Amino acid sequence: MASLTQIEILLPEFRAYATAICTSYSDAEDLVQDAIERALRTEGRPTVIEELRPWMFRVIRNIHHDELRKKRVRREYLAAEKRLSDEAGSSDAAQDILIRIAFEKLPPDMRDVLCLVDIMGLKYAEAANVMNVANGTVMSRVSRARKALLALVEGTASRGEVENNTR
């Protein structure tokens, strides 16, 4: 079993490698600590120092790449959230209320498909799976529901007319 002594012997090499791949010394120190913690928790770690050395380098590298991936995903998420909040902030409140009132006037099946596709962002195939219908059915229902919603918002159709056109 790889002992703490073996890890202590290799510690300067681990720090040097982590420093080479990280942007800051403190990130490198954190990376080495995370790698050592993971190594000590792993039951199947190498027992011979010659095998432990490359294994630990791989652990350090994998943890580093995982952290980079997490940071990238967080940046992308925050950028998308900012974009959505900017878009939402620039909309007209009266228009939003009008659209919500019109949406509530739609028949339940139209609200269902619009909610899944336009609000929740499901793909047609995903919505079809949820609704247990064919993809083409979802596509035609979305099209009819969008036209009906637009007609209600523009005031060119009443709730009764929308309901009659769905039958």
Side-chain angles (χ1 to χ4, degrees):
M1 175 174 285
S3 68
L4 191 55
T5 307
Q6 290 174 323
I7 292 174
E8 287 173 338
I9 292 169
L10 295 171
L11 192 57
E13 292 182 46
F14 299 155
R15 285 185 175 136
Y17 179 62
T19 302
I21 63 174
C22 287
T23 56
S24 73
Y25 180 76
S26 63
D27 288 344
E29 282 295 314
D30 291 343
L31 180 59
V32 171
Q33 286 179 9
D34 291 344
I36 291 171
E37 177 188 354
R38 189 172 293 177
L40 293 175
R41 282 188 286 129
T42 303
E43 303 237 352
R45 67 183 171 267
T47 57
V48 181
I49 198 164
E50 291 81 18
E51 295 172 1
L52 178 65
R53 183 174 180 261
W55 184 82
M56 282 296 294
F57 285 145
R58 194 171 6 184
V59 170
I60 291 169
R61 182 180 181 277
N62 289 343
I63 292 173
H64 177 65
H65 285 287
D66 289 346
E67 287 300 316
L68 291 177
R69 211 173 295 120
K70 284 181 200 173
K71 287 178 184 177
R72 186 189 76 236
V73 168
R74 286 182 188 131
R75 270 194 316 272
E76 291 170 358
Y77 175 78
L78 291 174
E81 285 296 309
K82 183 179 179 340
R83 188 186 67 195
L84 289 174
S85 67
D86 289 348
E87 290 173 2
S90 65
S91 67
D92 181 21
Q95 181 74 12
D96 290 347
I97 292 170
L98 182 63
I99 291 171
R100 288 176 191 215
I101 291 170
F103 182 80
E104 290 171 7
K105 290 180 181 177
L106 289 173
D109 61 327
M110 286 186 171
R111 287 195 313 263
D112 182 29
V113 74
L114 283 180
C115 182
L116 289 173
V117 175
D118 289 342
I119 297 172
M120 302 307 293
L122 268 63
K123 296 182 172 122
Y124 290 138
E126 294 169 329
N129 189 31
V130 169
M131 297 169 65
N132 199 26
V133 296
N135 288 357
T137 303
V138 170
M139 294 167 71
S140 62
R141 286 183 185 178
V142 166
S143 177
R144 282 195 305 272
R146 287 175 181 161
K147 286 178 186 173
L149 182 63
L150 183 61
L152 286 170
V153 169
E154 292 176 342
T156 58
S158 68
R159 179 180 184 161
E161 290 172 326
V162 168
E163 288 177 355
N164 289 336
N165 287 339
T166 62
R167 295 185 182 126

